[in-house]
């Protein structure tokens, strides 16, 4: 998009000149004032470009919000550029200025101790017979910032009002400060290194009971409910390591399951030659034949989207599934991995793990 297109308001004048005229200022003074007060530099201390400044003014002009009183201001977006932030006063202006607005109500939901756990905002329109409502929950919204510590109810009420306004009036392209700050401050998701730590362990097959995880492993996994993703993954790996150290019984069961899979024609020995080349990219180290049989039948597109942690957890699940001897044991094996699957937090990954169980169950007689 050209600079001219960005800066024109459709009447031959720049959007900067049009906005400046609205507030009785010349264009250059207006721009300098805004850049000095409400246009924050990005993390590299670079100020917004002319195009970004003009795009911001287009939004302010469209919603008739006053940037000089900070009804709307700019915030550096995480992926680059600026995000137009509307303050609580700006949202109140938008709501009350809409000719169809017909009032709003708030309802607090309290726990047994009288603390607010949720707030619902019901917003009414003159042209509708039913209210539009939105509920925001303290557990999901509260942050460790000063406003949330000092005024948690007020902050949650603002969240509910803004979300209900979006539902009721279809406001788009504008944000509230809290949600943008969350995205801006959120760290990039990094690999916990689980895949690399499992490489050495994959060289020797993991032992495991026919009916899934045993009590000791379940106890270890039970300790990670409140842990971080990385700590969860480490506990899961340790649980499997303890299983491996308990004897050769699981190894023998695993070998039998692998042989049975090969006899059933579910895997081709050629696919695992040369360090697991037939595993289609799950890792450079070879999988067992039974796990390769499961991997080869999973959705190719879903497999491509896996990150290293997801691959490592799925690998463990497939190796356990390759050892079990009946559908019940396969489902129990999935249950044993649920905490680490939830740590990834992606629905598509959870569905892929379930698909692995379905593939394994289909390898048994009749799939029952």
């Amino acid at each position: 998009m050209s600079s001219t297109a960005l800066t024109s308001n459709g009447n031959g004048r720049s959007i900067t000149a049009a906005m400046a005229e609205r507030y009785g200022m010349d264009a250059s003074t207006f721009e300098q004032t805004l850049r000095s007060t409400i246009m924050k530099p990005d993390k590299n201390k670079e100020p917004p470009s002319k195009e970004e400044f003009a795009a911001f003014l287009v939004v302010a002009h469209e919603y008739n919000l006053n940037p000089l009183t900070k009804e709307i201001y700019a915030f550096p977006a995480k992926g680059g550029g600026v995000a137009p932030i509307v303050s609580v006063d700006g949202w109140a202006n938008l709501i009350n200025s809409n000719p169809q607005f017909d009032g709003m109500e708030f309802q607090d939901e309290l726990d047994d101790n009288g603390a607010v756990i949720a707030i619902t905002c019901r917003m009414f329109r003159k042209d509708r017979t039913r209210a539009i409502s939105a509920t925001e929950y303290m557990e999901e919204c509260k942050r460790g910032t000063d406003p949330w510590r000092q005024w948690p109810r007020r902050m949650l009420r603002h969240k509910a009002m803004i979300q209900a306004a979006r539902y009721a009036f279809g406001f788009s392209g504008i944000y509230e400060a809290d949600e943008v700050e969350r995205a801006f401050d959120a760290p990039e998701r990094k690999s916990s290194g689980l895949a690399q730590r499992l490489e050495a362990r994959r060289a020797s097959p993991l032992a495991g009971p026919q009916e899934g995880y045993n009590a000791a492993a379940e106890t270890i996994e039970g300790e990670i409910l409140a842990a971080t993703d990385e700590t969860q993954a480490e506990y899961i790996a340790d649980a499997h390591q303890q299983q491996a150290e308990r004897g050769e019984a699981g190894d023998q069961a695993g070998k039998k399951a692998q042989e049975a899979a090969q006899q059933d024609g579910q895997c081709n020995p050629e696919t695992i030659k040369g360090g697991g080349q037939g595993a289609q990219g799950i890792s450079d180290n070879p999988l067992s034949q039974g796990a390769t049989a499961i991997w080869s039948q999973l959705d190719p597109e879903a497999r491509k989207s896996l990150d290293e942690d997801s691959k490592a957890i799925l690998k463990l699940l497939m190796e356990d599934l390759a050892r079990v001897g009946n559908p019940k044991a396969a489902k129990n094996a999935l249950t044993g991995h649920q905490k680490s699957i939830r740590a990834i937090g992606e629905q598509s990954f959870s569905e892929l793990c379930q698909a692995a169980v379905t593939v394994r169950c289909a390898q048994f007689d009749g799939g029952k």
Side-chain angles (χ1 to χ4, degrees):
M1 183 179 294
S2 69
S3 176
T4 301
L6 277 172
T7 57
S8 172
N9 71 343
N11 297 318
R13 292 184 303 164
S14 72
I15 190 67
T16 305
M19 290 286 289
E21 183 178 330
R22 177 185 295 178
Y23 302 113
M25 301 175 67
D26 66 81
S28 61
T29 303
F30 177 72
E31 179 173 349
Q32 185 58 43
T33 300
L34 294 188
R35 285 184 176 276
S36 301
T37 56
I38 66 165
M39 304 290 285
K40 292 185 178 181
D42 61 21
K43 62 182 180 180
N44 297 320
K45 302 189 182 302
E46 291 292 331
S49 66
K50 293 282 286 186
E51 289 78 11
E52 290 168 345
F53 181 80
F56 166 76
L57 289 185
V58 168
V59 176
H61 185 272
E62 176 70 20
Y63 286 106
N64 196 26
L65 293 171
N66 188 345
L68 297 174
T69 59
K70 293 191 176 180
E71 287 184 340
I72 187 171
Y73 57 95
F75 196 94
K78 189 171 184 179
V82 295
I85 307 301
V86 177
S87 66
V88 173
D89 291 339
W91 283 100
N93 182 7
L94 286 174
I95 294 168
N96 285 286
S97 298
N98 193 293
Q100 297 301 331
F101 178 62
D102 199 27
M104 57 182 163
E105 299 173 349
F106 294 94
Q107 180 176 353
D108 294 359
E109 183 178 345
L110 311 178
D111 63 13
D112 295 338
N113 298 318
V116 172
I117 60 176
I119 294 180
T120 297
C121 177
R122 302 176 70 228
M123 200 159 288
F124 300 86
R125 289 181 54 130
K126 297 175 183 177
D127 57 350
R128 304 207 181 155
T129 59
R130 301 173 66 89
I132 298 94
S133 64
T135 301
E136 294 290 335
Y137 297 88
M138 188 70 74
E139 182 180 13
E140 295 179 354
C141 296
K142 189 172 183 180
R143 301 171 62 205
T145 59
D146 287 341
W148 278 103
R149 282 192 290 264
Q150 296 177 40
W151 310 292
R153 292 192 182 204
R154 179 187 299 178
M155 293 295 290
L156 193 62
R157 188 175 296 112
H158 291 165
K159 299 281 282 188
M161 179 190 75
I162 291 168
Q163 199 60 31
R166 284 172 167 155
Y167 293 156
F169 303 112
F171 298 128
S172 61
I174 53 177
Y175 308 91
E176 53 143 330
D178 185 69
E179 63 187 347
V180 173
E181 288 170 2
R182 288 172 191 267
F184 189 83
D185 295 337
E188 296 289 344
R189 184 169 182 259
K190 298 179 180 179
S191 172
S192 68
L194 173 63
Q196 289 74 17
R197 293 197 299 273
L198 289 172
E199 291 298 323
R201 296 177 184 177
R202 184 56 54 211
S204 58
L206 296 174
Q210 283 286 304
E211 295 298 323
Y213 274 18
N214 57 23
E218 283 291 334
T219 299
I220 291 174
E221 289 197 294
E223 297 173 2
I224 66 177
L225 286 174
T228 62
D229 287 3
E230 180 173 355
T231 304
Q232 285 180 324
E234 290 176 350
Y235 268 114
I236 296 296
D238 289 341
H240 281 278
Q241 181 66 13
Q242 287 195 9
Q243 289 179 330
E245 294 170 352
R246 271 189 284 271
E248 298 181 355
D251 289 338
Q252 296 300 324
K255 291 178 181 178
K256 290 181 180 179
Q258 293 168 19
E259 292 171 358
Q262 183 175 352
Q263 292 172 1
D264 289 342
Q266 298 296 334
C267 67
N268 184 348
E270 293 299 323
T271 64
I272 60 170
K273 285 185 178 180
Q277 296 299 318
Q280 300 186 33
I282 191 169
S283 69
D284 292 333
N285 64 298
L287 295 171
S288 69
Q289 294 178 354
T292 302
I294 298 171
W295 171 256
S296 64
Q297 295 188 48
L298 298 178
D299 178 49
E301 292 303 317
R303 295 182 319 200
K304 291 179 182 178
S305 66
L306 294 176
D307 60 19
E308 289 305 310
D309 284 356
S310 300
K311 288 178 182 179
I313 293 169
L314 181 58
K315 182 193 302 181
L316 286 176
L317 173 61
M318 292 191 304
E319 293 288 6
D320 283 351
L321 290 174
R323 296 186 185 93
V324 301
N326 56 69
K328 180 180 178 181
K331 294 175 183 177
N332 286 344
L334 177 64
T335 300
H337 286 275
Q338 281 300 333
K339 293 183 182 70
S340 55
I341 293 171
R342 285 196 295 269
I344 297 298
E346 296 179 2
Q347 181 63 28
S348 58
F349 177 61
S350 177
E351 292 173 354
L352 192 63
C353 291
Q354 179 61 57
V357 176
T358 301
V359 169
R360 182 62 180 133
C361 288
Q363 294 174 355
F364 301 122
D365 291 341
K368 298 179 181 180

